[in-house]
Each structure stands twice: as structure tokens, then as C-alpha cells.
Amino acid sequence: QVQLVESGGGLVQPGGSLRLSCAASGSIFSISAMGWYRRAPGKERELVAAATSSGNTNYADSVKGRFTISRDNAKNTVYLQMNSLKPEDTAVYYCNAYIIRTGGWPVNSWGQGTQVTVSS
């Protein structure tokens, strides 16, 4: 069994910053890709940013230059530094990881979600 636990969401004013964290735990052999998705009210879930274990990254066009994804592979943790936040960044943010389990099949895991609200 594996688990993703997120933290760091909250309420912030436009132009502000937040840092999300997501730690994976359980029977983990390795983690290939880790990333962040979000779902805004009335919209479909979308990829925000992703990072491979080798350091390659991918960002949604809407967050390029404002958000930075990083990983600590030793801690099985992924971070999302969000700067210059806009009201349209308001959403529930979900951590995602493709985990190779120890002695088991790979699993695509999701966190429980953390609310980010950008409002004055």
C-alpha cells in the first residue's frame, strides 16, 4: 500500500505565494513521475506541473514562469512553489505519483487534494 499526503494549501491574496508539499509513503521501490493537477469549480482536472526522477519537468502554459516543481527523491517528496498567484489559480490541487511498489505492480497514486484560494 502507498499513500500520498499533501500540505501547504490555503488562502492567499493575488500576487502572493504558496508552497505545496506531497510526501509518498508505503512500500515504495521507486517513483518515476510525480506531479500536480488541479480542478477548479466547474472545470475539468488539468495538469499543472510534473517532474521525472531524472529532473525533467513539464508545465501548463498558464503557470509557466510562475510555478516551479521540484523533487526530493531521497524523501519521496514533490513540491510546488507557486508565485504571483492569480484568482484563476483557485482550485483543489492534487498530487500524483507513478509508484513502483516493492514486490508489487506499479500504481498510479493520488493525494486527497488541498484547497488553494486566491482572493483579496
Side-chain angles (χ1 to χ4, degrees), residues 4 22 24 31-35 78 95-99 107-111:
L4 299 180
C22 172
I31 303 177
S32 56
M34 298 187 81
V78 64
C95 176
N96 173 261
Y98 190 77
I99 297 173
V107 60
N108 190 32
S109 296
W110 291 91

Side-chain angles (χ1 to χ4, degrees), residues 5-12 17-23 35-38 48-49 67-71 77-83 85 89 91-95 113-117:
V5 177
E6 301 143 338
S7 61
L11 172 64
V12 65
S17 298
L18 281 175
R19 188 191 194 210
L20 305 182
S21 300
C22 172
W36 293 92
Y37 289 73
R38 67 186 181 188
V48 177
F67 292 9
T68 302
I69 189 170
S70 61
R71 288 178 59 166
T77 299
V78 64
Y79 306 95
L80 185 68
Q81 178 66 44
M82 304 184 294
N83 298 327
L85 282 160
D89 294 318
V92 178
Y93 284 69
Y94 298 91
C95 176
T114 185
Q115 177 70 46
V116 171
T117 302

Side-chain angles (χ1 to χ4, degrees), residues 54-106:
S54 59
N56 294 318
T57 58
N58 183 40
Y59 294 92
D61 288 342
S62 59
V63 307
K64 283 180 180 177
R66 300 187 298 121
F67 292 9
T68 302
I69 189 170
S70 61
R71 288 178 59 166
D72 185 333
N73 292 328
K75 296 181 178 179
N76 291 328
T77 299
V78 64
Y79 306 95
L80 185 68
Q81 178 66 44
M82 304 184 294
N83 298 327
S84 301
L85 282 160
K86 304 175 180 180
E88 51 263 42
D89 294 318
T90 295
V92 178
Y93 284 69
Y94 298 91
C95 176
N96 173 261
Y98 190 77
I99 297 173
I100 312 301
R101 292 182 293 175
T102 303
W105 294 101

